[in-house]
Amino acid sequence: MDPSADEKPFHAWSWPVEQCLKEYSVKIDKGLSTYEVEKRLEKYGWNELQKERRKPLWLCVLEQFDDTLVKILLIAAFISFILAYLHGSEAGDSGLEVYVEPIVIILILVLNAIVGVWQENNAERALDALKEMQCDSCKVRRDGHLVPGLPAKELVPGDIVELRVGDKVPADMRVAALKTSTVRVEQSSLTGEAMPVLKGTDPIFLDDCELQAK
């Protein structure tokens, strides 16, 4: 969607349910038609996390040195090494103690690279864990009928999904209607919160609220 400059951008979490349904051209009791699903699937693609090839270790290490501050420190270490060499030659001292300063700088940069690679690997493992937790199937209303066991990756924007107790949430969704008095969602995999969080159909008008509240 490409709203014009004078139109309010569409954010499902900040719009009333009726306006969201109108924006997606869908009815709760009917769902999308097969034809519309095919069009949106072609436009938006599969509902799944993108798979990226892992970078080799040597490239991860090199990327840790692709930083302005790190480059400045490398230049400083090089200059310090030259000065230490010249000073040692003049004083007749060729021991390692004259190179303490450049060696310390290099060790700090190496340690920084090790920590950076370790953090990047942790982030990749966390992403892999999220992929493993993805929902495999869900119940979707299409052409006026409830389709059980639909592969979650085939969901498209505007799909009406029915959730029951114990179901995994298969995509970013807007709560459109409740068949119970309240609904709570366990989202510790995203936020670390141990207690289930209450969700509702009311729009959220705060632009600076947490992402999971949207």
Side-chain angles (χ1 to χ4, degrees), residues 117-193:
V117 172
W118 176 72
Q119 289 179 331
E120 189 168 335
N121 286 336
N122 281 347
E124 289 181 354
R125 283 196 292 268
L127 184 58
D128 290 339
L130 282 177
K131 290 178 181 178
E132 292 178 1
M133 294 175 63
Q134 277 189 293
C135 180
D136 295 327
S137 61
C138 55
K139 304 179 187 71
V140 184
R141 188 167 296 281
R142 289 180 176 176
D143 295 314
H145 302 284
L146 190 63
V147 181
L150 181 83
K153 72 174 186 177
E154 296 183 13
L155 287 177
V156 296
D159 261 327
I160 303 298
V161 180
E162 181 179 300
L163 293 177
R164 296 190 179 186
V165 177
D167 287 348
K168 290 183 178 180
V169 180
D172 291 336
M173 296 190 295
R174 171 75 160 86
V175 181
L178 295 178
K179 294 185 178 180
T180 59
S181 57
T182 60
V183 60
R184 294 181 182 273
V185 178
E186 195 275 316
Q187 52 189 27
S188 60
S189 60
L190 299 176
T191 65
E193 298 178 35

Side-chain angles (χ1 to χ4, degrees), residues 52-84:
E52 298 181 358
R53 294 181 58 185
R54 287 186 177 274
K55 291 180 288 187
L57 181 61
W58 64 268
L59 182 58
C60 293
V61 174
L62 282 180
E63 287 181 349
Q64 303 306 315
F65 292 91
D66 188 19
D67 181 81
T68 303
L69 181 59
V70 173
K71 292 176 181 177
I72 292 174
L73 289 175
L74 283 173
I75 295 174
F78 177 75
I79 294 175
S80 178
F81 179 84
I82 296 298
L83 293 176

Side-chain angles (χ1 to χ4, degrees), residues 3-61:
S4 61
D6 54 347
E7 286 183 337
K8 180 183 177 182
F10 174 70
H11 298 299
W13 46 270
S14 64
W15 285 37
V17 173
E18 295 75 16
Q19 286 182 276
C20 292
L21 295 173
K22 183 179 180 181
E23 184 73 19
Y24 285 115
S25 301
V26 64
K27 294 181 179 179
I28 290 182
D29 58 338
K30 296 293 184 182
L32 296 174
S33 65
T34 303
Y35 173 73
E36 189 63 34
V37 169
E38 292 176 354
K39 284 175 55 181
R40 299 187 186 190
L41 190 59
E42 183 178 348
K43 179 179 179 180
Y44 298 105
W46 299 110
N47 170 47
E48 58 184 1
L49 294 173
Q50 293 183 353
K51 298 179 181 179
E52 298 181 358
R53 294 181 58 185
R54 287 186 177 274
K55 291 180 288 187
L57 181 61
W58 64 268
L59 182 58
C60 293
V61 174

